[in-house]
Amino acid sequence: MSKHFFGDTSVLLGRSLRHITRSPDTIITTAIMPIAMMLMFVYVFGGAISTGSGTSYVNYMLPGILLITVASGIAYTAYRLFTDMQGGIFERFQSMPTARSSVLWAHVLTSLVANLVSLVVVMLVALLMGFRSSAGVLAWLSVGGILVLFTLALTWIAIIPGLTAKTMEGASAFSYPLIFLPFLSSAFVPTATMPGPLRLFAENQPVTSIVNAIRALFAGQPVGNDIWIALAWCVGILVVAYGFAMTTYRRKIS
């Protein structure tokens, strides 16, 4: 790792964050869709959905909404990276004594900051809608850690289309399946209510274990194996996505 890596990353991170502060609509737009979904599910469908857990529906479905917030937010990471690629800024940085990987890490850390802000906005709206948690400090830190890992994992996935897409639409369209995935999990209804094949998929895909772990932590209940499965999914996806993203980046700049 270049001795200039941290300094270069810090400078480029400041550049990316300034772009966001000049167009805060990206964070607002990221938060609006999950908030609209939360309002619709709680006030329109919530009365007709039985979770069988005795908890309020906003408490039950909030973990899934938080994951959708991240999934929708990373589309902007791919978009910003695609814009830099098309604008020739990468070539300009490569002509300077800049650590090569610092360009990608600046985008990744920008995504992390922007998504954390969006998550806080969604959480505040959930509190206004009646969300309550008996979680202690350690449980809240655990939720934060899971969400950070999940954001990093999805952000490194977003880096790949950001580097390889041919059009602006293609750079961000990859996020649609990720946004849809929580609907095929335990995020909004118990998996026991689903038909056989769908239930099998829902119970063995990453979102369900992540949602179950966050839900249990919010409720102050034992998380069992869900938290370890959730962490394994997040770390596994992060490592694989990072490897593919860095390989793609090296090919692009070689």
Side-chain angles (χ1 to χ4, degrees), residues 75-111:
Y76 287 101
T77 301
Y79 165 76
R80 286 190 292 265
L81 186 57
F82 174 82
T83 302
D84 277 356
M85 289 290 294
Q86 296 300 307
I89 195 71
F90 272 59
E91 288 79 1
R92 185 179 303 174
F93 287 146
Q94 295 307 316
S95 67
M96 302 167 63
T98 305
R100 291 189 172 187
S101 59
S102 64
V103 180
L104 289 188
W105 274 105
H107 280 281
V108 170
L109 294 176
T110 299
S111 171

Side-chain angles (χ1 to χ4, degrees), residues 29-106:
T29 304
T30 298
I32 281 179
M33 186 184 72
I35 289 172
M37 285 185 181
M38 188 162 54
L39 291 169
M40 180 179 66
F41 272 92
V42 171
Y43 295 124
V44 178
F45 301 132
I49 298 176
S50 174
T51 63
S53 60
T55 60
S56 66
Y57 191 60
V58 66
N59 280 31
Y60 184 88
M61 52 92 74
L62 180 60
I65 291 294
L66 295 178
L67 299 192
I68 288 175
T69 303
V70 175
S72 60
I74 60 165
Y76 287 101
T77 301
Y79 165 76
R80 286 190 292 265
L81 186 57
F82 174 82
T83 302
D84 277 356
M85 289 290 294
Q86 296 300 307
I89 195 71
F90 272 59
E91 288 79 1
R92 185 179 303 174
F93 287 146
Q94 295 307 316
S95 67
M96 302 167 63
T98 305
R100 291 189 172 187
S101 59
S102 64
V103 180
L104 289 188
W105 274 105

Side-chain angles (χ1 to χ4, degrees), residues 60 67 180-213 215 226 229 233:
Y60 184 88
L67 299 192
F180 184 68
L181 199 57
F183 292 96
L184 303 179
S185 72
S186 63
F188 299 103
V189 295
T191 56
T193 63
M194 300 177 182
L198 181 57
R199 177 179 178 180
L200 182 65
F201 172 79
E203 290 179 346
N204 293 281
Q205 60 121 320
V207 170
T208 291
S209 58
I210 297 171
V211 163
N212 290 345
R215 186 180 291 140
D226 281 322
I229 298 172
W233 272 114

